[in-house]
Amino acid sequence: MSNCRFCAEPLSQTFADLGVTPLSNSFVPPERAQAMEPFYPLHAFVCGSCKLVQLEEFESPQHIFGDNYLYFSSFSDSWLRHAEAYSEHMIGRFGLGSDSLVVEVASNDGYLLQYFLQKGTKVLGIEPAANVAEYAVKKGIPTDVNFFGVETARRLKADGIAPDVIAANNVMAHVPDLNDFVAGFAVLLKPGGVVTVEFPHLLQLMAQNQFDTIYHEHFSYFSLLTVEQVFKGHGLRLFDVQKLTTHGGSLRIFATQADHNGHPTTAAVAEVLAEERAAGLDDMATYKAFAQQIVDTKAALLSFCIEARRAGKTIAAYGAPAKGNTLLNYCGVGPEFISFTVDRSPHKQGHLLPGVRIPIRSPEAIFAARPDYVLILPWNLKDEIAQQMAAVREWGGQFVVPIPKVQVLT
């Protein structure tokens, strides 16, 4: 990779080299089980200037998030609760009402905007995957099927769209042209309006060894130190930040125009920046030390699988998240160790995981097979999944998580 996608500085420092893997959401239909699939280097670098952790762009967003995108947000109960709580918080904090407009960038299947709609607030979704946007439209959520950036923002603004709140949850990492994306907020936002952006926190990724959240669909990995620079570069001021438990530890930032004084900056911004500096996120040596943790986790997962097989134990997995595909491909764990995985989304069932080609079935398959271990691939949802699948324990089955370390749950 040559230059940083934010500040254009030359890149040379490796953050994590995970070999070559397929696109993590490129699930393989059964009729292509014997076909080839493309693999790309999964090599993350860190910029010595702005400290942005990033991947090279091998496939365009148009290819990744095209008309047959298989991620639907509404299949996680905890994520829906998170979305509803967000809507209540925004309405209460900023006094949103029937004359207010909330725009969500990467609105998916309407999982979030449906709650604003129910409370009488006007909404508009912006979603590039037409097949996913169709589900939002069926819920009564008007959706602009496009990628977001300056061009889309200018078009919407010319049409009279002036949002009081722009929400962008877990999308900024998916954007290769980071500057165009953030500049779009500045163009579209109503004077004095608020942008909220949620993203997995790089500090937690490193502290909790969450290397499996690195995959080709995520072009960037953010600290608040870096995000503050990016937003400032486009005339936006961060005035608040909240720590979230979602996705293994995330941040929700609040921003407005730099010349707008209606939203005073809270102490939380300085506190999180200080926490990141104390953890060494402004020091390149910290990033260099991360790579060894990854190798140790690979060895631990392989050892667990090998020992289970030698003991005559069976392993199935739960979930088909992108992070699981990074983990299994990097560690070299295929159907010789994990006979199948299950997922609640019917859009993934019947397909094979990319690369490792483990079949995806419905959750009921776990109860039919009665495996000794169930490896929870979306480890950030381990409590929700263990509760949903509690009957696994009835035959002595045990749940296992791979991150931050391989652990059998008690």
Side-chain angles (χ1 to χ4, degrees):
M1 191 168 183
S2 54
N3 298 101
C4 173
R5 63 172 37 93
F6 168 55
C7 69
E9 286 291 315
L11 294 172
S12 60
Q13 179 58 54
T14 292
F15 175 71
D17 187 350
L18 301 175
V20 291
T21 71
L23 298 180
S24 59
N25 277 315
S26 58
F27 298 96
V28 180
E31 65 271 17
R32 291 190 58 79
Q34 301 304 315
M36 295 175 62
E37 60 183 309
F39 280 59
Y40 306 93
L42 188 56
H43 190 165
F45 293 84
V46 58
C47 175
S49 179
C50 69
K51 305 301 186 292
L52 177 64
V53 173
Q54 56 205 283
L55 296 176
E56 190 169 355
E57 179 184 354
F58 288 103
E59 282 286 1
S60 69
Q62 288 78 7
H63 175 77
I64 295 173
F65 308 107
D67 291 340
N68 194 34
Y69 190 52
L70 294 182
Y71 178 74
F72 290 75
S73 298
S74 293
F75 286 103
S76 170
D77 295 337
S78 61
W79 188 241
L80 290 177
R81 290 194 297 270
H82 175 77
E84 185 171 19
Y86 170 86
S87 70
E88 293 170 352
H89 177 56
M90 293 299 107
I91 289 170
R93 179 169 182 176
F94 299 114
L96 304 180
S98 58
D99 293 331
S100 305
L101 173 64
V102 176
V103 170
E104 185 183 13
V105 176
S107 49
N108 201 263
D109 57 8
Y111 76 101
L112 173 68
L113 292 181
Q114 64 183 341
Y115 296 112
F116 285 100
L117 194 65
Q118 291 168 11
K119 296 173 176 65
T121 302
K122 291 183 291 185
V123 300
L124 172 67
I126 303 172
E127 169 56 50
N131 67 309
V132 179
E134 183 180 339
Y135 284 80
V137 172
K138 289 177 181 177
K139 296 176 183 177
I141 297 167
T143 303
D144 189 87
V145 181
N146 273 293
F147 287 93
F148 183 75
V150 170
E151 182 180 350
T152 297
R154 286 175 176 164
R155 175 176 54 80
L156 292 175
K157 185 176 183 178
D159 291 339
I161 301 298
D164 298 272
V165 172
I166 300 176
N169 292 341
N170 299 300
V171 58
M172 195 161 66
H174 293 277
V175 179
D177 194 342
L178 182 60
N179 286 310
D180 179 68
F181 184 76
V182 177
F185 293 148
V187 169
L188 185 59
L189 189 64
K190 177 180 179 179
V194 174
V195 178
T196 74
V197 182
E198 295 182 18
F199 52 86
H201 192 186
L202 179 63
L203 178 64
Q204 293 304 317
L205 184 156
M206 297 173 72
Q208 301 298 321
N209 194 33
Q210 298 165 358
F211 71 89
D212 57 341
T213 59
I214 298 172
Y215 43 91
H216 295 105
E217 291 88 338
H218 278 177
F219 297 107
S220 303
Y221 304 82
F222 299 103
S223 64
L224 192 63
L225 285 163
T226 297
V227 168
E228 185 182 48
Q229 296 176 64
V230 175
F231 275 65
K232 183 179 180 180
H234 295 284
L236 296 168
R237 172 179 58 87
L238 303 191
F239 67 87
D240 197 10
V241 60
Q242 296 173 342
K243 294 180 181 180
L244 308 173
T245 59
T246 54
H247 297 284
S250 299
L251 294 182
R252 175 189 292 153
I253 61 166
F254 296 73
T256 191
Q257 290 93 349
D259 57 359
H260 179 73
N261 298 318
H263 301 293
T265 303
T266 70
V269 175
E271 289 170 0
V272 174
L273 290 173
E275 182 181 9
E276 290 185 347
R277 290 190 179 98
L281 294 195
D282 58 351
D283 184 350
M284 289 295 283
T286 304
Y287 298 90
K288 293 177 183 178
F290 181 67
Q292 187 56 48
Q293 296 179 220
I294 299 173
V295 178
D296 292 343
T297 301
K298 176 175 182 174
L301 182 58
L302 281 171
S303 293
F304 171 80
C305 291
I306 292 169
E307 290 170 10
R309 181 176 176 83
R310 286 175 174 168
K313 304 291 187 180
T314 55
I315 307 173
Y318 188 104
K323 61 168 63 75
N325 293 329
T326 290
L327 177 79
L328 297 177
N329 277 283
Y330 170 65
C331 294
V333 174
E336 71 280 6
F337 292 119
I338 297 175
S339 52
F340 64 91
T341 189
V342 302
D343 199 277
R344 289 178 65 188
S345 173
H347 306 284
K348 296 180 181 180
Q349 293 167 12
H351 287 68
L352 304 171
L353 295 183
V356 293
R357 302 295 178 95
I358 294 172
I360 308 169
R361 301 175 183 170
S362 67
E364 290 73 23
I366 293 279
F367 303 113
R370 298 166 70 91
D372 297 293
Y373 297 108
V374 176
L375 178 66
I376 299 177
L377 295 175
W379 42 259
N380 52 303
L381 301 176
K382 65 179 185 298
D383 294 335
E384 175 184 338
I385 292 167
Q387 183 177 10
Q388 290 174 356
M389 306 293 289
V392 166
R393 300 187 189 278
E394 293 178 3
W395 64 78
Q398 295 178 288
F399 295 103
V400 182
V401 291
I403 300 293
K405 62 180 182 180
V406 178
Q407 180 181 9
V408 178
L409 301 181
T410 57

mmCIF file of all heavy atoms in Angstrom, residues 150-182:
data_model
loop_
_atom_site.group_PDB
_atom_site.id
_atom_site.type_symbol
_atom_site.label_atom_id
_atom_site.label_comp_id
_atom_site.label_asym_id
_atom_site.label_seq_id
_atom_site.Cartn_x
_atom_site.Cartn_y
_atom_site.Cartn_z
ATOM 1 N N VAL A 150 -19.977 13.216 -1.104
ATOM 2 C CA VAL A 150 -20.290 14.603 -1.467
ATOM 3 C C VAL A 150 -21.333 14.677 -2.581
ATOM 4 O O VAL A 150 -22.259 15.496 -2.528
ATOM 5 C CB VAL A 150 -19.004 15.347 -1.863
ATOM 6 C CG1 VAL A 150 -19.322 16.706 -2.478
ATOM 7 C CG2 VAL A 150 -18.097 15.534 -0.646
ATOM 8 N N GLU A 151 -21.199 13.834 -3.603
ATOM 9 C CA GLU A 151 -22.141 13.882 -4.729
ATOM 10 C C GLU A 151 -23.568 13.592 -4.274
ATOM 11 O O GLU A 151 -24.506 14.324 -4.620
ATOM 12 C CB GLU A 151 -21.713 12.891 -5.811
ATOM 13 C CG GLU A 151 -22.605 12.913 -7.039
ATOM 14 C CD GLU A 151 -22.159 11.918 -8.101
ATOM 15 O OE1 GLU A 151 -21.062 11.355 -7.962
ATOM 16 O OE2 GLU A 151 -22.911 11.718 -9.073
ATOM 17 N N THR A 152 -23.753 12.524 -3.503
ATOM 18 C CA THR A 152 -25.085 12.205 -2.997
ATOM 19 C C THR A 152 -25.595 13.295 -2.078
ATOM 20 O O THR A 152 -26.779 13.684 -2.136
ATOM 21 C CB THR A 152 -25.053 10.857 -2.259
ATOM 22 O OG1 THR A 152 -24.708 9.819 -3.176
ATOM 23 C CG2 THR A 152 -26.404 10.531 -1.623
ATOM 24 N N ALA A 153 -24.732 13.829 -1.217
ATOM 25 C CA ALA A 153 -25.141 14.883 -0.285
ATOM 26 C C ALA A 153 -25.602 16.131 -1.025
ATOM 27 O O ALA A 153 -26.624 16.751 -0.664
ATOM 28 C CB ALA A 153 -23.981 15.222 0.648
ATOM 29 N N ARG A 154 -24.892 16.512 -2.053
ATOM 30 C CA ARG A 154 -25.280 17.700 -2.827
ATOM 31 C C ARG A 154 -26.618 17.497 -3.528
ATOM 32 O O ARG A 154 -27.452 18.405 -3.578
ATOM 33 C CB ARG A 154 -24.191 18.038 -3.837
ATOM 34 C CG ARG A 154 -22.946 18.656 -3.213
ATOM 35 C CD ARG A 154 -21.840 18.851 -4.244
ATOM 36 N NE ARG A 154 -20.682 19.529 -3.654
ATOM 37 C CZ ARG A 154 -19.480 19.556 -4.209
ATOM 38 N NH1 ARG A 154 -19.268 18.932 -5.377
ATOM 39 N NH2 ARG A 154 -18.479 20.198 -3.615
ATOM 40 N N ARG A 155 -26.825 16.317 -4.069
ATOM 41 C CA ARG A 155 -28.094 16.027 -4.748
ATOM 42 C C ARG A 155 -29.268 16.095 -3.775
ATOM 43 O O ARG A 155 -30.305 16.687 -4.066
ATOM 44 C CB ARG A 155 -28.024 14.653 -5.430
ATOM 45 C CG ARG A 155 -29.341 14.212 -6.056
ATOM 46 C CD ARG A 155 -29.203 12.894 -6.798
ATOM 47 N NE ARG A 155 -28.637 11.841 -5.981
ATOM 48 C CZ ARG A 155 -29.329 11.127 -5.083
ATOM 49 N NH1 ARG A 155 -30.621 11.389 -4.867
ATOM 50 N NH2 ARG A 155 -28.738 10.156 -4.407
ATOM 51 N N LEU A 156 -29.099 15.472 -2.604
ATOM 52 C CA LEU A 156 -30.169 15.479 -1.613
ATOM 53 C C LEU A 156 -30.425 16.895 -1.092
ATOM 54 O O LEU A 156 -31.580 17.300 -0.897
ATOM 55 C CB LEU A 156 -29.816 14.539 -0.459
ATOM 56 C CG LEU A 156 -29.783 13.041 -0.813
ATOM 57 C CD1 LEU A 156 -29.292 12.230 0.382
ATOM 58 C CD2 LEU A 156 -31.159 12.554 -1.237
ATOM 59 N N LYS A 157 -29.354 17.642 -0.865
ATOM 60 C CA LYS A 157 -29.507 19.017 -0.396
ATOM 61 C C LYS A 157 -30.265 19.857 -1.422
ATOM 62 O O LYS A 157 -31.136 20.668 -1.063
ATOM 63 C CB LYS A 157 -28.140 19.623 -0.107
ATOM 64 C CG LYS A 157 -28.203 21.019 0.506
ATOM 65 C CD LYS A 157 -26.811 21.529 0.868
ATOM 66 C CE LYS A 157 -26.903 22.899 1.536
ATOM 67 N NZ LYS A 157 -25.546 23.395 1.930
ATOM 68 N N ALA A 158 -29.965 19.653 -2.707
ATOM 69 C CA ALA A 158 -30.663 20.371 -3.767
ATOM 70 C C ALA A 158 -32.147 20.009 -3.807
ATOM 71 O O ALA A 158 -32.987 20.818 -4.241
ATOM 72 C CB ALA A 158 -30.010 20.073 -5.117
ATOM 73 N N ASP A 159 -32.477 18.801 -3.320
ATOM 74 C CA ASP A 159 -33.872 18.367 -3.258
ATOM 75 C C ASP A 159 -34.577 18.823 -1.981
ATOM 76 O O ASP A 159 -35.720 18.432 -1.717
ATOM 77 C CB ASP A 159 -33.955 16.840 -3.356
ATOM 78 C CG ASP A 159 -33.577 16.327 -4.742
ATOM 79 O OD1 ASP A 159 -33.642 17.119 -5.699
ATOM 80 O OD2 ASP A 159 -33.217 15.134 -4.850
ATOM 81 N N GLY A 160 -33.889 19.623 -1.162
ATOM 82 C CA GLY A 160 -34.501 20.162 0.043
ATOM 83 C C GLY A 160 -34.310 19.331 1.294
ATOM 84 O O GLY A 160 -34.925 19.594 2.324
ATOM 85 N N ILE A 161 -33.441 18.303 1.236
ATOM 86 C CA ILE A 161 -33.190 17.464 2.403
ATOM 87 C C ILE A 161 -32.233 18.198 3.342
ATOM 88 O O ILE A 161 -31.127 18.572 2.949
ATOM 89 C CB ILE A 161 -32.592 16.105 1.991
ATOM 90 C CG1 ILE A 161 -33.537 15.366 1.053
ATOM 91 C CG2 ILE A 161 -32.250 15.258 3.216
ATOM 92 C CD1 ILE A 161 -34.878 15.030 1.660
ATOM 93 N N ALA A 162 -32.674 18.417 4.592
ATOM 94 C CA ALA A 162 -31.860 19.115 5.593
ATOM 95 C C ALA A 162 -32.024 18.413 6.931
ATOM 96 O O ALA A 162 -32.880 18.793 7.746
ATOM 97 C CB ALA A 162 -32.273 20.583 5.699
ATOM 98 N N PRO A 163 -31.243 17.379 7.196
ATOM 99 C CA PRO A 163 -31.446 16.570 8.400
ATOM 100 C C PRO A 163 -31.033 17.269 9.690
ATOM 101 O O PRO A 163 -30.015 17.954 9.751
ATOM 102 C CB PRO A 163 -30.570 15.338 8.155
ATOM 103 C CG PRO A 163 -29.561 15.780 7.164
ATOM 104 C CD PRO A 163 -30.209 16.821 6.314
ATOM 105 N N ASP A 164 -31.855 17.073 10.714
ATOM 106 C CA ASP A 164 -31.495 17.509 12.069
ATOM 107 C C ASP A 164 -30.447 16.573 12.650
ATOM 108 O O ASP A 164 -29.584 16.995 13.422
ATOM 109 C CB ASP A 164 -32.742 17.519 12.959
ATOM 110 C CG ASP A 164 -33.789 18.490 12.463
ATOM 111 O OD1 ASP A 164 -33.734 19.657 12.857
ATOM 112 O OD2 ASP A 164 -34.659 18.068 11.674
ATOM 113 N N VAL A 165 -30.562 15.290 12.316
ATOM 114 C CA VAL A 165 -29.612 14.275 12.773
ATOM 115 C C VAL A 165 -29.243 13.390 11.592
ATOM 116 O O VAL A 165 -30.116 12.934 10.845
ATOM 117 C CB VAL A 165 -30.201 13.411 13.913
ATOM 118 C CG1 VAL A 165 -29.281 12.231 14.230
ATOM 119 C CG2 VAL A 165 -30.440 14.244 15.166
ATOM 120 N N ILE A 166 -27.960 13.178 11.425
ATOM 121 C CA ILE A 166 -27.468 12.155 10.505
ATOM 122 C C ILE A 166 -26.843 11.053 11.355
ATOM 123 O O ILE A 166 -25.959 11.318 12.177
ATOM 124 C CB ILE A 166 -26.408 12.698 9.530
ATOM 125 C CG1 ILE A 166 -26.978 13.829 8.663
ATOM 126 C CG2 ILE A 166 -25.888 11.571 8.639
ATOM 127 C CD1 ILE A 166 -25.940 14.472 7.754
ATOM 128 N N ALA A 167 -27.305 9.823 11.176
ATOM 129 C CA ALA A 167 -26.760 8.671 11.891
ATOM 130 C C ALA A 167 -25.949 7.824 10.914
ATOM 131 O O ALA A 167 -26.351 7.626 9.764
ATOM 132 C CB ALA A 167 -27.880 7.835 12.503
ATOM 133 N N ALA A 168 -24.809 7.350 11.360
ATOM 134 C CA ALA A 168 -23.971 6.465 10.542
ATOM 135 C C ALA A 168 -23.364 5.427 11.477
ATOM 136 O O ALA A 168 -22.352 5.677 12.125
ATOM 137 C CB ALA A 168 -22.888 7.252 9.815
ATOM 138 N N ASN A 169 -24.002 4.269 11.558
ATOM 139 C CA ASN A 169 -23.577 3.232 12.493
ATOM 140 C C ASN A 169 -22.796 2.139 11.777
ATOM 141 O O ASN A 169 -23.312 1.495 10.865
ATOM 142 C CB ASN A 169 -24.800 2.602 13.185
ATOM 143 C CG ASN A 169 -25.490 3.586 14.108
ATOM 144 O OD1 ASN A 169 -24.905 4.580 14.507
ATOM 145 N ND2 ASN A 169 -26.746 3.311 14.436
ATOM 146 N N ASN A 170 -21.561 1.945 12.176
ATOM 147 C CA ASN A 170 -20.726 0.860 11.658
ATOM 148 C C ASN A 170 -20.651 0.870 10.132
ATOM 149 O O ASN A 170 -20.735 -0.175 9.488
ATOM 150 C CB ASN A 170 -21.244 -0.487 12.174
ATOM 151 C CG ASN A 170 -21.194 -0.548 13.685
ATOM 152 O OD1 ASN A 170 -20.141 -0.421 14.284
ATOM 153 N ND2 ASN A 170 -22.352 -0.699 14.307
ATOM 154 N N VAL A 171 -20.486 2.054 9.578
ATOM 155 C CA VAL A 171 -20.334 2.179 8.133
ATOM 156 C C VAL A 171 -19.031 2.878 7.765
ATOM 157 O O VAL A 171 -18.456 2.609 6.722
ATOM 158 C CB VAL A 171 -21.533 2.918 7.493
ATOM 159 C CG1 VAL A 171 -21.707 4.312 8.082
ATOM 160 C CG2 VAL A 171 -21.369 3.020 5.992
ATOM 161 N N MET A 172 -18.522 3.777 8.621
ATOM 162 C CA MET A 172 -17.356 4.569 8.242
ATOM 163 C C MET A 172 -16.152 3.684 7.922
ATOM 164 O O MET A 172 -15.337 4.017 7.054
ATOM 165 C CB MET A 172 -17.020 5.577 9.344
ATOM 166 C CG MET A 172 -16.072 6.675 8.889
ATOM 167 S SD MET A 172 -16.082 8.130 9.945
ATOM 168 C CE MET A 172 -15.395 7.462 11.466
ATOM 169 N N ALA A 173 -16.059 2.552 8.591
ATOM 170 C CA ALA A 173 -14.952 1.627 8.313
ATOM 171 C C ALA A 173 -15.042 1.016 6.923
ATOM 172 O O ALA A 173 -14.050 0.561 6.366
ATOM 173 C CB ALA A 173 -14.921 0.523 9.359
ATOM 174 N N HIS A 174 -16.253 0.997 6.347
ATOM 175 C CA HIS A 174 -16.484 0.359 5.052
ATOM 176 C C HIS A 174 -16.177 1.272 3.875
ATOM 177 O O HIS A 174 -16.380 0.874 2.723
ATOM 178 C CB HIS A 174 -17.953 -0.088 4.945
ATOM 179 C CG HIS A 174 -18.332 -1.192 5.872
ATOM 180 N ND1 HIS A 174 -18.090 -2.518 5.591
ATOM 181 C CD2 HIS A 174 -18.932 -1.182 7.085
ATOM 182 C CE1 HIS A 174 -18.540 -3.271 6.596
ATOM 183 N NE2 HIS A 174 -19.048 -2.483 7.507
ATOM 184 N N VAL A 175 -15.710 2.487 4.135
ATOM 185 C CA VAL A 175 -15.593 3.506 3.093
ATOM 186 C C VAL A 175 -14.133 3.698 2.680
ATOM 187 O O VAL A 175 -13.315 4.138 3.500
ATOM 188 C CB VAL A 175 -16.158 4.847 3.599
ATOM 189 C CG1 VAL A 175 -16.015 5.922 2.534
ATOM 190 C CG2 VAL A 175 -17.620 4.693 4.014
ATOM 191 N N PRO A 176 -13.778 3.392 1.432
ATOM 192 C CA PRO A 176 -12.384 3.611 1.015
ATOM 193 C C PRO A 176 -12.031 5.089 0.859
ATOM 194 O O PRO A 176 -10.918 5.496 1.181
ATOM 195 C CB PRO A 176 -12.290 2.869 -0.320
ATOM 196 C CG PRO A 176 -13.691 2.763 -0.806
ATOM 197 C CD PRO A 176 -14.561 2.699 0.406
ATOM 198 N N ASP A 177 -12.988 5.908 0.364
ATOM 199 C CA ASP A 177 -12.735 7.341 0.209
ATOM 200 C C ASP A 177 -13.245 8.064 1.457
ATOM 201 O O ASP A 177 -14.318 8.658 1.475
ATOM 202 C CB ASP A 177 -13.413 7.884 -1.051
ATOM 203 C CG ASP A 177 -12.902 9.276 -1.427
ATOM 204 O OD1 ASP A 177 -12.306 9.953 -0.559
ATOM 205 O OD2 ASP A 177 -13.109 9.689 -2.580
ATOM 206 N N LEU A 178 -12.442 7.998 2.505
ATOM 207 C CA LEU A 178 -12.847 8.525 3.807
ATOM 208 C C LEU A 178 -13.109 10.023 3.751
ATOM 209 O O LEU A 178 -14.082 10.513 4.362
ATOM 210 C CB LEU A 178 -11.748 8.202 4.825
ATOM 211 C CG LEU A 178 -11.981 8.619 6.273
ATOM 212 C CD1 LEU A 178 -13.219 7.951 6.835
ATOM 213 C CD2 LEU A 178 -10.745 8.267 7.117
ATOM 214 N N ASN A 179 -12.287 10.760 3.043
ATOM 215 C CA ASN A 179 -12.456 12.209 2.983
ATOM 216 C C ASN A 179 -13.766 12.598 2.295
ATOM 217 O O ASN A 179 -14.473 13.505 2.737
ATOM 218 C CB ASN A 179 -11.264 12.855 2.276
ATOM 219 C CG ASN A 179 -10.030 12.866 3.144
ATOM 220 O OD1 ASN A 179 -10.056 13.282 4.293
ATOM 221 N ND2 ASN A 179 -8.916 12.379 2.608
ATOM 222 N N ASP A 180 -14.110 11.920 1.212
ATOM 223 C CA ASP A 180 -15.364 12.202 0.515
ATOM 224 C C ASP A 180 -16.565 11.902 1.403
ATOM 225 O O ASP A 180 -17.556 12.644 1.411
ATOM 226 C CB ASP A 180 -15.428 11.376 -0.772
ATOM 227 C CG ASP A 180 -16.713 11.598 -1.545
ATOM 228 O OD1 ASP A 180 -16.910 12.709 -2.070
ATOM 229 O OD2 ASP A 180 -17.532 10.655 -1.612
ATOM 230 N N PHE A 181 -16.466 10.824 2.161
ATOM 231 C CA PHE A 181 -17.569 10.403 3.026
ATOM 232 C C PHE A 181 -17.838 11.443 4.117
ATOM 233 O O PHE A 181 -18.970 11.905 4.292
ATOM 234 C CB PHE A 181 -17.223 9.048 3.650
ATOM 235 C CG PHE A 181 -18.312 8.438 4.486
ATOM 236 C CD1 PHE A 181 -19.410 7.839 3.899
ATOM 237 C CD2 PHE A 181 -18.222 8.448 5.872
ATOM 238 C CE1 PHE A 181 -20.409 7.252 4.673
ATOM 239 C CE2 PHE A 181 -19.215 7.873 6.652
ATOM 240 C CZ PHE A 181 -20.308 7.277 6.053
ATOM 241 N N VAL A 182 -16.807 11.839 4.839
ATOM 242 C CA VAL A 182 -16.984 12.794 5.936
ATOM 243 C C VAL A 182 -17.346 14.180 5.390
ATOM 244 O O VAL A 182 -18.165 14.892 5.975
ATOM 245 C CB VAL A 182 -15.726 12.852 6.819
ATOM 246 C CG1 VAL A 182 -15.875 13.902 7.910
ATOM 247 C CG2 VAL A 182 -15.466 11.480 7.444
#
